[in-house]
Amino acid sequence: VPDTLLNDGMFALLNNDVPLFKDVAVRRAFVMATNRQQLLSRLHNRGVLLDGPLPSSMVGGSTVRQESYDEAKAAAAFDAAGWVRGTNGLRAKLGTNLTVTIVAPEGHDFEVMLKTLAEQWRKIGIDVKTVQAKVNEMASSYLQPRNYDILLNEYAFGADADVYAYWHSSQASPRGRNFANYRSGLIDDILSSAKARLEPQLRNAKYRAFVDQWVKDVPAIALYQPYVSYIATDTSHSFDEALTIADATARYRDIQRWAVQTRTVMKTP
């Protein structure tokens, strides 16, 4: 069963319109409280860690990474933000418990993600409620009304680094796909400018600036980049699984070269 990286990203999107997540220090604390390596291991390592809004392979020269998992630093960050752990084990501020609702669509991987993140965050004193919604209810009940504190979601990058639809302020409306409700004038300018550029070097510079600012603002938690798997016999030859593909159907683009068996029929001097 060969595996190859898919140009998609799994994210825990923090609803920036929720009062709790208006505080960047709290958003950063959630990142540090998230053990992404444990999550990936529970998914049988079917992917690689994602350290920002785009895979490093799509943004040449970018070295900025989101905060690493550190439970002690996360606890200190929550304390500094006023969310202190009480005798009941829960964090609270001014008499209000630190409570979040995570929403995810149906599906095995999302179920594992939901359970793992809830377990990790409860461990640090957060009251976590989980909802795994039916696919036909996601858009009307959760996505359009932005009815969640945290949304587990998969964003498709494709072959181009243009992620205007996912992070531009204009897409934070009920019908847009900026499900984090992330709004930044600087990011808007960068993404709009990058869309208008054709020169690869200039576009890459814009997207490096986007990654840098996104990591500072922490609108979401980048989790991992998934593998796409397919079953093949030992004697078959298809695409090179060492490559990254833009989308799941891209593996068929060189299907004319696929073969069940190969052998040398003639050699020329």
Side-chain angles (χ1 to χ4, degrees):
V1 183
D3 293 320
T4 190
L5 275 176
L6 184 63
N7 260 1
D8 282 11
M10 306 299 292
F11 291 87
L13 302 170
L14 311 177
N15 188 343
N16 287 216
D17 280 350
V18 171
L20 173 68
F21 290 127
K22 289 184 181 297
D23 186 348
V24 67
V26 171
R27 301 199 298 269
R28 188 168 290 112
F30 266 85
V31 175
M32 291 187 288
T34 304
N35 187 340
R36 298 176 299 132
Q37 190 60 64
Q38 181 190 60
L39 170 62
L40 202 53
S41 68
R42 291 184 178 181
L43 291 166
H44 308 291
N45 293 309
R46 291 179 53 248
V48 296
L49 295 182
L50 184 64
D51 290 307
L54 287 168
S56 57
S57 61
M58 298 186 76
V59 189
S62 178
T63 58
V64 176
R65 301 287 184 268
Q66 69 179 0
E67 295 278 0
S68 300
Y69 168 66
D70 191 317
E71 188 176 337
K73 285 186 178 180
F78 280 120
D79 289 343
W83 294 99
V84 181
R85 203 161 193 167
T87 55
N88 62 354
L90 296 177
R91 294 185 176 277
K93 183 177 183 179
L94 301 176
T96 302
N97 287 340
L98 202 173
T99 302
V100 296
T101 298
I102 316 174
V103 173
E106 288 181 316
H108 171 72
D109 285 4
F110 281 111
E111 182 179 356
V112 174
M113 292 164 62
L114 197 62
K115 289 181 177 178
T116 302
L117 295 179
E119 173 190 311
Q120 292 176 1
W121 295 339
R122 284 169 182 150
K123 183 180 177 183
I124 205 168
I126 300 168
D127 180 20
V128 181
K129 304 181 188 309
T130 62
V131 176
Q132 191 158 23
K134 295 185 181 300
V135 174
N136 61 0
E137 296 176 350
M138 278 297 297
S140 60
S141 297
Y142 298 99
L143 299 183
Q144 289 181 10
R146 301 299 197 256
N147 184 23
Y148 47 81
D149 299 319
I150 300 172
L151 173 70
L152 301 186
N153 189 62
E154 181 173 4
Y155 275 148
F157 304 127
D160 189 84
D162 180 9
V163 286
Y164 180 101
Y166 303 147
W167 305 110
H168 194 277
S169 297
S170 66
Q171 304 304 303
S173 65
R175 295 190 182 277
R177 288 184 288 171
N178 178 353
F179 298 129
N181 288 323
Y182 175 42
R183 297 177 179 86
S184 165
L186 178 57
I187 289 292
D188 290 351
D189 289 344
I190 293 172
L191 292 179
S192 296
S193 178
K195 279 179 72 72
R197 295 288 186 181
L198 296 177
E199 309 90 334
Q201 288 185 334
L202 289 176
R203 292 188 91 231
N204 190 64
K206 294 289 184 182
Y207 286 121
R208 282 204 308 269
F210 159 66
V211 170
D212 292 353
Q213 190 60 42
W214 188 96
V215 171
K216 289 178 184 176
D217 291 346
V218 206
I221 306 171
L223 298 173
Y224 68 94
Q225 185 180 354
Y227 283 127
V228 60
S229 302
Y230 64 101
I231 298 174
T233 63
D234 291 339
T235 58
S236 66
H237 301 269
S238 57
F239 75 95
D240 184 355
E241 60 264 21
L243 301 176
T244 299
I245 60 174
D247 54 62
T249 60
R251 66 187 187 275
Y252 297 119
R253 287 179 183 165
D254 64 347
I255 195 168
Q256 73 276 8
R257 299 179 183 274
W258 291 18
V260 175
Q261 294 179 338
T262 61
R263 63 187 177 91
T264 301
V265 294
M266 181 182 296
K267 284 187 177 182
T268 57

